[in-house]
Amino acid sequence: MTDLTSVIIGVGGYLPERILTNDDLCKVVDTSDEWIQTRTGIRQRHIAAQGELTSDLATAAAKAALANAGIEAGSVDLIVLATTTPDKTFPATATIVQDKLGIRGGAAFDVQAVCSGFLFALATADSMLKSGLFKTALVIGAETFTRLLDWSDRTTCVLFGDGAGAVVLRAEPQNKKKPGGVLGHHIRTDGSKQKLLYVDGGVSSTGTIGHVRMQGNQVFKHAVTNISSAVVEVLEMTGHTISEIDWFVPHQANQRILDGVGRKLGIDDAKLVSTVELHGNTSAASIPLALSTSVSDGRITQGDLVLSEAMGGGFSWGASLFRL
Ligand code: UT7
């Protein structure tokens, strides 16, 4: 490893125009606004328009992040895109975004870790920048996740939404006295739990896209435990404590999970960034979307210490600590 760190120099997000409310969903399945809000905290979610692809959402978020960083797309030499809902089986959606941004050099590829995808993509890009392999990276989480839903299954269709978020990372010399940028990650998977959250289709198994299937209450139990242990690991690894955290930007699956993790770890409610009410669960997009929302509304500012975590299908889970 070199003495480089990767600094987040820009963040951006994009949400499709169409909003689907809980009341709209009551016309589709046997549910209620009261059940959805009480059990999940979700009030509405955004839905991509017909013909609007994951790469379109990702490109819009990437453009917003580049504008926020004040740099041209041409200086990006790495794109790592986390998605479960690629435009096509191949090529990687990241390469489609590379083309849409007019970038003609470097490398672009996808990462698949479902709702933990953004943290896996961030860890991947961070390692590549710190090793000196690339200089400037776009790390994107983008999903048209509602295209994986079975709209007759009330246990899943009320939970998810579409969206994209992105950060621009740049390799810079490390300030040894006050380390900044991406400070550490802890990412893990456990394939033995795949039956609790999966899609019942795939290229090599059924030749179909399939639909999301989840035993929600089982996932819920594992989520709080796995996320809390990942946070403890990343804090130990980086030598920080919970009380030093300025902002907690978790994956947005369920307000009850956010509150449960916050309580277990002793995180002050005022430090929690929650967008689940307005966005639903946007899978790999939820963390960078929440980050971009809280940077653009002025809550998170330069120098703040930010803790992030996620848990998703696989199971996959992780935590990241960075200074903006
Ligand atoms: O981001 C990836 C990771 N995913 C997650 O982290 C999701 C984790 N799980 C959850 O967020 C929650 O488990 C859910 C929101 C999915 C479900 O909440 P729950 O409190 O765990 O409910 P439950 O699954 O135990 O179901 C309770 C009842 C059931 O009825 P009975 O069997 O008690 O009669 C369900 O059939 O709620 C019923 N139910 C609904 N009722 C109205 C399930 N979905 C709905 C619905 N509307 N949409």
Side-chain angles (χ1 to χ4, degrees):
M1 280 282 162
T2 61
D3 282 341
L4 292 169
T5 188
S6 22
V7 177
I8 297 178
I9 60 167
V11 298
Y14 173 79
L15 287 160
E17 212 175 295
R18 184 177 157 221
I19 289 173
L20 190 72
T21 65
N22 291 347
D23 286 337
D24 294 332
L25 276 165
C26 293
K27 295 174 196 141
V28 180
V29 279
D30 178 17
T31 190
S32 66
D33 177 50
E34 202 258 331
W35 190 95
I36 301 170
Q37 286 214 46
T38 313
R39 301 287 180 130
T40 72
I42 299 168
R43 206 154 49 84
Q44 61 169 55
R45 68 287 293 144
H46 291 248
I47 310 282
Q50 207 178 358
E52 195 175 29
L53 308 183
T54 295
S55 65
D56 296 319
L57 275 53
T59 303
K63 282 182 177 168
L66 289 166
N68 182 245
I71 65 166
E72 297 295 324
S75 53
V76 170
D77 56 359
L78 175 67
I79 301 175
V80 185
L81 188 149
T83 190
T84 308
T85 46
D87 289 12
K88 298 175 177 146
T89 304
F90 80 83
T93 304
T95 63
I96 301 171
V97 173
Q98 183 187 35
D99 185 44
K100 286 183 175 171
L101 290 172
I103 300 171
R104 294 288 170 261
F109 60 92
D110 291 355
V111 162
Q112 218 298 42
V114 207
C115 295
S116 312
F118 181 76
L119 294 188
F120 279 59
L122 188 67
T124 305
D126 176 48
S127 304
M128 290 179 141
L129 260 56
K130 281 180 177 154
S131 73
L133 205 53
F134 298 100
K135 285 195 174 64
T136 307
L138 265 169
V139 184
I140 308 171
E143 302 278 17
T144 46
F145 207 86
T146 61
R147 289 178 187 156
L148 283 178
L149 298 177
D150 171 353
W151 292 100
S152 66
D153 176 7
R154 69 175 183 173
T155 68
T156 52
C157 77
V158 302
L159 304 174
F160 296 92
D162 301 330
V167 302
V168 183
L169 282 187
R170 191 164 62 198
E172 288 185 2
Q174 180 64 275
N175 176 344
K176 295 234 170 68
K177 285 192 189 135
K178 195 180 182 210
V182 181
L183 300 169
H185 315 274
H186 180 83
I187 53 172
R188 289 291 181 271
T189 58
D190 176 2
S192 72
K193 303 286 189 306
Q194 58 184 282
K195 287 196 178 136
L196 299 178
L197 175 52
Y198 67 103
V199 162
D200 61 1
V203 178
S204 130
S205 53
T206 58
T208 62
I209 296 167
H211 293 117
V212 174
R213 303 295 173 205
M214 174 164 70
Q215 290 181 40
N217 45 16
Q218 293 298 313
V219 178
F220 192 112
K221 281 182 204 149
H222 287 283
V224 177
T225 311
N226 289 349
I227 289 166
S228 302
S229 78
V231 167
V232 169
E233 292 283 348
V234 85
L235 289 174
E236 268 178 28
M237 178 197 305
T238 55
H240 284 278
T241 60
I242 274 290
S243 60
E244 291 175 286
I245 304 301
D246 294 308
W247 294 102
F248 178 43
V249 185
H251 167 52
Q252 310 281 322
N254 184 323
Q255 188 62 43
R256 286 159 55 218
I257 296 180
L258 306 194
D259 294 340
V261 171
R263 258 195 315 274
K264 194 162 175 172
L265 294 168
I267 298 174
D268 187 346
D269 280 354
K271 295 179 175 181
L272 169 68
V273 175
S274 174
T275 53
V276 70
E277 179 187 7
L278 300 179
H279 300 175
N281 179 350
T282 58
S283 185
S286 89
I287 291 172
L289 255 176
L291 189 62
S292 117
T293 302
S294 48
V295 166
S296 60
D297 69 19
R299 268 179 292 173
I300 300 187
T301 55
Q302 213 182 354
D304 282 352
L305 190 62
V306 180
L307 173 68
S308 192
E309 50 78 352
M311 153 94 186
F315 285 163
S316 60
W317 68 94
S320 284
L321 189 69
F322 49 88
R323 198 176 285 286
L324 215 71

